[in-house]
Amino acid sequence: MIAVRSRFRAIPSWQVTLAIALLVLGFLIAAQLAAEGPRIRYTTQERSTLIETTLGLQNQQDALKARILQLRSQIGQLEAQGQGSNAQVKQLNADLEQARIAAGLIPLEGPGIVFLLQDSGAPGPGADSLVSARDVRLVVEELWQAGAEAIAVNGERVTVSTAFLDIGGSFLANSAYLAPPYQIAAIGPTNLYDRLQASSTFAGFVAARVGGQGIQLSVAQPKTVDVPAFAGTVNVRFGQPEGTPAASP
């Protein structure tokens, strides 16, 4: 044992270091070869499979690109149709707004005139010196003929279903009792009053009822006339569009 130790001690240290370095180098080379073995086998054996997978993915990508282009084209078509639909919706809303105005469902303001009809200051015998529903109806009809766009009597909007019925010293309009004096507000063109004066019917009314029987008629032309909305029901039981033949009873 002492002899073996003596021999190890006799070996130079550089030979020991060289032997250890060679041992480590051999281990690293063996590890490198062991790691490259599977990779080499993988690249040689699985190459065809990888190529097929790559080609399949490429085909899927091409199909997705074509689908994207197709969807973009469809989106463009839908957007174009949407613009047309928006135009149609705007037109329908405009038509609906006009229909509501014609039905009196929207309050309006604008240039116009205001009449005030009052009973005679010196009432005579009979009812001729009192303002009647017929007087108000005639003025309203003449305003329509002159181009009025909206009319109200004592705050009651006049519509196609409005009727004026005498009840004692007042009259009924839109199921509301109206008492004198009667204020008739109308919105229309700026020359509405001039058009009204040009009517022979209105001139005859003024001559007969104002000049002959003394009822009082005054007129004002404010900068803005307010006409409220119709507050009643709009259900028509007996009516038909203009131009439609009347149904047989």
Side-chain angles (χ1 to χ4, degrees):
M1 182 63 109
I2 296 174
V4 173
R5 290 180 180 177
S6 298
R7 288 181 181 179
F8 273 110
R9 291 176 180 175
I11 298 175
S13 60
W14 63 269
Q15 291 182 358
V16 176
T17 303
L18 179 60
I20 294 174
L22 291 174
L23 180 62
V24 172
L25 180 60
F27 176 78
L28 292 176
I29 292 173
Q32 181 69 22
L33 292 175
E36 289 182 355
R39 181 179 65 83
I40 295 173
R41 289 194 300 271
Y42 177 79
T43 55
T44 55
Q45 297 176 4
E46 303 295 334
R47 183 174 181 181
S48 59
T49 305
L50 288 175
I51 292 175
E52 292 177 0
T53 303
T54 303
L55 293 177
L57 292 175
Q58 184 66 42
N59 292 333
Q60 291 180 9
Q61 186 179 15
D62 293 340
L64 290 174
K65 288 181 179 179
R67 181 59 176 165
I68 290 172
L69 294 176
Q70 181 182 3
L71 291 176
R72 284 179 179 174
S73 177
Q74 292 179 1
I75 290 172
Q77 294 175 0
L78 292 175
E79 288 178 346
Q81 294 177 2
Q83 292 177 357
S85 299
N86 290 336
Q88 293 177 358
V89 170
K90 289 181 180 179
Q91 184 61 44
L92 289 174
N93 288 334
D95 294 342
L96 180 60
E97 186 78 2
Q98 291 300 319
R100 287 175 175 172
I101 292 175
L105 302 180
I106 297 178
L108 299 176
E109 64 176 16
I113 56 178
V114 178
F115 285 103
L116 187 64
L117 281 171
Q118 303 182 73
D119 297 335
S120 174
D128 290 341
S129 60
L130 302 179
V131 177
S132 66
R134 180 180 179 183
D135 297 325
V136 175
R137 187 186 309 115
L138 186 144
V139 174
V140 168
E141 291 175 351
E142 289 300 306
L143 285 169
W144 286 132
Q145 293 293 331
E149 300 172 3
I151 302 175
V153 178
N154 283 15
E156 285 292 327
R157 183 73 169 265
V158 179
T159 68
V160 294
S161 61
T162 301
F164 301 104
L165 302 174
D166 282 308
I167 300 179
S170 61
F171 65 82
L172 189 68
N174 295 338
S175 301
Y177 291 97
L178 306 183
Y182 302 106
Q183 179 177 285
I184 305 173
I187 294 176
T190 55
N191 61 343
L192 180 60
Y193 187 52
D194 296 334
R195 292 185 181 185
L196 189 63
Q197 287 183 312
S199 169
S200 58
T201 303
F202 182 75
F205 164 77
V206 173
R209 296 291 287 142
V210 178
Q213 295 167 343
I215 67 170
Q216 302 177 51
L217 174 65
S218 56
V219 59
Q221 292 182 280
K223 293 182 179 180
T224 301
V225 176
D226 294 322
V227 175
F230 176 60
T233 61
V234 293
N235 296 328
V236 179
R237 294 181 57 192
F238 305 101
Q240 61 189 13
E242 184 178 358
T244 303
S248 58

